[in-house]
């Protein structure tokens, strides 16, 4: 399953791909495969390993204090390797400096916080990664084979070890993890691969994964969507048929052969979770074509918190007498939504103003901003339909003052509609008589 995110203003929306791969493969048992596995497990094969495997400790996550050497059982006991615990292999990517990046230490700390009894091995292939990129990329297969040899050897020491094995690869390390999974004698439980193709911030994907470890009670939720525009209109906040998923460590496994695009917004800093709302608003005006470029904002008032003056981005051209859909995001949990305050600022174009002036009787006798000219730009909003992505709740809000229109710079208040008041397809009210 792929998760692709796109950049926006704060709350930040990032572009990268996270691949959560649960590797399942069937060995064909052909002669070539058997020969490779035999070579991988003999003494000569283990001695050919150039990759180093450092067992890191929670007390000193940035230091290489003990190494596991495939073929040397005493190195397991010396380093305190627990064969009954979960094992994580962290695989770095291409290295410009020839040194480990800071995210590795942060990931180790987060993993130990969630899994305190785990074995956390840092796969050190810096000698092969600190090369020109094409050479480093070519070396990924060799490193993957080294890791597979380690894993095959470990499995001989303890049955069912692979059921507790989790490979985490970043950048070219993601390729390494894939090669490792394809060369082990049996399937690895889980591989998480992070792409380095991030346009807005380096390593963002890693930090989102770390966030999922540190803030288990505040999981980020991503939503399947065909394109970025539809997501920005709030049209993809649907969790039916596996259309949404939790981001990171607690991702729900979905048996799918295709890679789906998943979208979400985040805060700029940890914890990254935000709350996604779709607002569907039908704007009414006596004219079908008004050349305006409005700026919309809403305030949401809930049982836990209030958030004020949230900007509402208009993704498509604003058109009166049409239902528009918007995505609104809050950084705090407001609880159950009780009330909405809505405001718009109008940017009236000269073209639209000229048309309206020409259609007005004796327009030439009126001041430029006469009420008979500008009042036609009042917009009427009957209702706002709301859906919360995180809770999947749907609500409908009606004007507190049903006679009020929405004039530029004027704020109107909407409260929950009576249960008997329903919406037609155009957004206008329909009352059931009993």
């Amino acid at each position: 399953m792929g998760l692709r995110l796109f950049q926006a203003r704060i709350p930040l929306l990032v572009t990268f791909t996270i691949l959560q791969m649960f590797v399942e493969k069937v060995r064909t048992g052909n002669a070539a495969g058997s020969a490779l596995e035999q070579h991988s497990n003999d003494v000569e094969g283990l001695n050919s390993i150039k990759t180093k495997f450092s067992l890191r400790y929670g007390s000193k996550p940035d230091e290489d204090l003990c190494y596991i050497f495939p073929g040397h059982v005493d190195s397991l006991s010396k380093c305190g390797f627990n064969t009954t615990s979960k094992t994580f292999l962290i695989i770095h990517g291409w290295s410009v400096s020839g040194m480990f990046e800071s995210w590795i230490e942060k990931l180790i700390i987060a993993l130990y916080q969630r899994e305190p009894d785990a074995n956390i091995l840092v796969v050190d292939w810096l000698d092969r990664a600190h090369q020109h990129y094409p050479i480093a990329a070519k070396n990924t297969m060799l490193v993957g084979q080294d890791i597979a040899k380690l894993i095959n050897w470990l499995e001989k020491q303890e049955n069912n070890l692979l059921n507790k094995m989790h490979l985490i690869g970043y950048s070219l390390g993601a390729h390494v993890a894939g090669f490792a999974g394809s060369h082990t004698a049996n399937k690895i439980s889980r591989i998480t691969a992070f792409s380095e193709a991030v346009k807005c911030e380096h390593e963002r994907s890693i930090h989102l994964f770390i966030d999922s470890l540190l803030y288990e009670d505040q999981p980020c939720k991503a939503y399947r969507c065909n394109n970025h525009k539809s997501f920005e209109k709030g049209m993809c906040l649907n969790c039916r048929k596996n259309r949404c998923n939790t981001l990171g460590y607690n991702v729900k496994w979905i048996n799918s052969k295709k890679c789906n695009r998943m979208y979400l917004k985040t805060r700029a800093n940890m914890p990254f979770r935000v709350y996604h709302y779709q607002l569907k608003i039908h704007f009414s005006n006596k004219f079908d074509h008004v050349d305006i470029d409005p700026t919309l904002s809403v305030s949401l008032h809930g049982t836990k918190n209030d958030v004020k003056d949230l900007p509402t981005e208009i993704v498509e051209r604003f058109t009166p007498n049409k239902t528009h859909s918007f995505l609104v995001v809050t950084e705090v949990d407001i609880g159950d939504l009780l009330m909405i305050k809505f405001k718009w600022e109008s940017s009236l174009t000269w073209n639209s103003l000229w048309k309206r002036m020409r259609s007005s009787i004796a327009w030439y006798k009126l001041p430029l901003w006469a009420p008979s000219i500008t009042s036609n730009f009042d917009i009427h909003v009957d209702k706002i339909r709301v859906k919360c992505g995180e809770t999947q709740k749907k609500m409908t809000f009606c004007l507190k003052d049903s006679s009020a229109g929405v004039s530029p710079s004027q704020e109107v208040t909407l409260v929950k509609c009576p249960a008997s008041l329903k919406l037609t397809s155009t957004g206008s009210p329909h009352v059931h008589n009993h």
Side-chain angles (χ1 to χ4, degrees), residues 60-73:
K60 295 183 178 181
D62 60 332
E63 295 187 24
D64 295 310
L65 300 177
C66 197
Y67 289 91
I68 301 297
F69 298 99
H72 297 265
V73 179

Side-chain angles (χ1 to χ4, degrees), residues 378-427:
D378 287 356
I379 296 292
H380 192 77
V381 175
D382 290 318
K383 291 181 176 54
I384 296 181
R385 287 178 285 175
V386 180
K387 180 175 183 178
C388 178
E390 279 61 37
T391 64
Q392 293 294 288
K393 289 183 178 179
K394 295 181 179 180
M395 300 150 281
T396 304
F397 290 80
C398 298
L399 281 174
K400 190 174 183 180
D401 179 3
S402 59
S403 63
V406 186
S407 299
S409 302
Q410 176 191 1
E411 186 176 70
V412 295
T413 301
L414 299 97
V415 295
K416 284 188 176 181
C417 297
S420 60
L421 198 58
K422 304 295 183 181
L423 281 177
T424 67
S425 59
T426 61

Side-chain angles (χ1 to χ4, degrees), residues 259-370:
C259 181
N260 294 312
R261 289 187 174 187
M262 307 288 286
Y263 296 77
L264 76 157
K265 288 201 174 188
T266 72
R267 297 179 68 250
N269 302 299
M270 293 186 187
F272 290 125
R273 182 175 73 171
V274 299
Y275 298 84
H276 302 76
Y277 292 88
Q278 179 192 23
L279 273 59
K280 296 179 75 172
I281 309 174
H282 186 82
F283 298 93
S284 301
N285 184 273
K286 64 179 63 178
F287 298 101
D288 289 331
H289 301 286
V290 180
D291 295 328
I292 55 177
D293 183 20
T295 300
L296 310 178
S297 65
V298 296
S299 298
L300 305 180
H301 300 261
T303 54
K304 294 182 179 179
N305 284 294
D306 301 334
V307 287
K308 298 182 179 180
D309 299 324
L310 295 170
T312 305
E313 182 180 358
I314 301 177
V315 178
E316 59 186 1
R317 182 176 180 272
F318 181 82
T319 306
N321 302 315
K322 177 182 176 181
T323 299
H324 290 264
S325 181
F326 307 94
L327 177 66
V328 174
V329 172
T330 68
E331 295 191 5
V332 297
D333 180 9
I334 65 172
D336 292 332
L337 184 58
L338 300 176
M339 182 173 64
I340 299 175
K341 291 186 177 180
F342 175 78
K343 181 171 64 175
W344 80 317
E345 302 287 346
S346 174
S347 298
L348 183 63
T349 67
W350 282 107
N351 181 53
S352 178
L353 180 61
W354 175 247
K355 289 179 181 179
R356 208 61 70 242
M357 289 171 65
R358 287 193 304 174
S359 64
S360 177
I361 300 175
W363 60 269
Y364 53 86
K365 295 181 180 180
L366 297 174
L368 183 60
W369 296 105

Side-chain angles (χ1 to χ4, degrees), residues 28 37 56 118 158 177 200-201 313 354 360 362 404:
T28 60
E37 292 169 19
R56 296 284 184 96
E158 177 67 30
C200 55
E201 184 179 344
E313 182 180 358
W354 175 247
S360 177

Side-chain angles (χ1 to χ4, degrees), residues 2-9 11-18 170 194-206 208 228 231-232 247 261-266:
L3 300 179
R4 185 168 297 175
L5 300 87
F6 292 81
Q7 183 181 6
R9 292 173 293 181
L12 186 63
L13 192 58
V14 206
T15 306
F16 65 89
T17 302
I18 296 181
Y170 171 71
F194 301 98
S195 168
E196 87 286 0
V198 184
K199 295 181 180 179
C200 55
E201 184 179 344
H202 189 54
E203 301 173 2
R204 183 67 165 183
S205 57
I206 287 286
L208 285 169
H228 183 209
F231 176 74
E232 288 291 351
L247 185 72
R261 289 187 174 187
M262 307 288 286
Y263 296 77
L264 76 157
K265 288 201 174 188
T266 72

Side-chain angles (χ1 to χ4, degrees), residues 156-174:
K156 280 191 170 184
Q157 315 308 313
E158 177 67 30
N159 291 331
N160 298 318
L161 183 69
L162 290 186
N163 292 332
K164 304 184 289 287
M165 181 77 67
H166 187 170
L167 273 58
I168 303 174
Y170 171 71
S171 181
L172 286 183

Side-chain angles (χ1 to χ4, degrees), residues 81-96:
F81 187 92
N82 188 345
T83 55
T84 62
S85 296
K86 291 183 179 180
T87 298
F88 296 90
L89 271 70
I90 301 175
I91 310 169
H92 64 81
W94 179 50
S95 176
V96 177

